Amino acid sequence: MKINIHYAFLPHTDPEASLKFYRDALGFEVRQDVGYENMRWITVGPTNQPETSIVLTPPAIDPGLTDAERETILAVIAKGAYGAITFATEDLDALYEQLEAAGAEVVQEPTDQDYGVRDCAFRDPSGNLVRINQL
């Protein structure tokens, strides 16, 4: 039995800034952009993987959350300690340069890790950690 990752969810705090990162800097296509009241859910993904998407979602909107819980979640997101995702590419250095030139916040330059992975890391505009591995 084959199981695919279809959707992953990351919070966004600024939909336009997220579009600049995922669409403009990474080159992902926008698959859906759905608004409701003052909120937006934006589905993006790599053009070569139409079956795998990331849904950029407004954070802390669950009606079951208390105001205190909502504030805690937003504070953790602001510190960049809430969401994370790892991508992989055949040309890590080129993608690193592309994202750095686009103004993305660098967390780690391309590094050969002791555990056998060459990777780099950025924060998206909402603070989510985006690691990128060399294939």
Side-chain angles (χ1 to χ4, degrees):
M1 174 174 37
K2 179 180 173 185
I3 299 175
N4 294 332
I5 296 174
H6 191 54
Y7 291 110
F9 291 79
L10 288 175
H12 75 73
T13 55
D14 180 338
E16 291 305 318
S18 292
L19 279 172
K20 287 181 182 174
F21 182 81
Y22 288 97
R23 180 193 59 205
D24 302 342
L26 278 171
F28 285 1
E29 64 183 5
V30 176
R31 298 183 177 147
Q32 288 188 323
D33 190 341
V34 178
Y36 177 73
E37 296 180 351
N38 62 346
M39 300 175 283
R40 283 171 70 186
W41 288 259
I42 304 167
T43 304
V44 297
T47 57
N48 64 337
Q49 291 181 302
E51 71 282 355
T52 303
S53 299
I54 300 167
V55 181
L56 304 168
T57 183
I61 59 169
D62 187 319
L65 294 173
T66 66
D67 288 343
E69 291 167 334
R70 188 169 289 107
E71 288 177 23
T72 298
I73 291 169
L74 292 173
V76 172
I77 289 171
K79 289 185 174 187
Y82 188 79
I85 194 162
T86 300
F87 301 134
T89 182
E90 293 178 350
D91 193 342
L92 180 68
D93 293 309
L95 184 54
Y96 174 83
E97 291 174 15
Q98 177 181 319
L99 289 172
E100 185 181 41
E105 180 184 342
V106 175
V107 175
Q108 174 205 302
E109 295 180 0
T111 303
D112 293 317
Q113 303 291 352
D114 292 340
Y115 45 88
V117 173
R118 178 170 172 74
D119 67 356
C120 66
F122 292 87
R123 290 215 185 277
D124 79 3
S126 299
N128 298 303
L129 181 64
V130 177
R131 297 201 72 83
I132 305 169
N133 290 356
Q134 172 75 47
L135 288 177

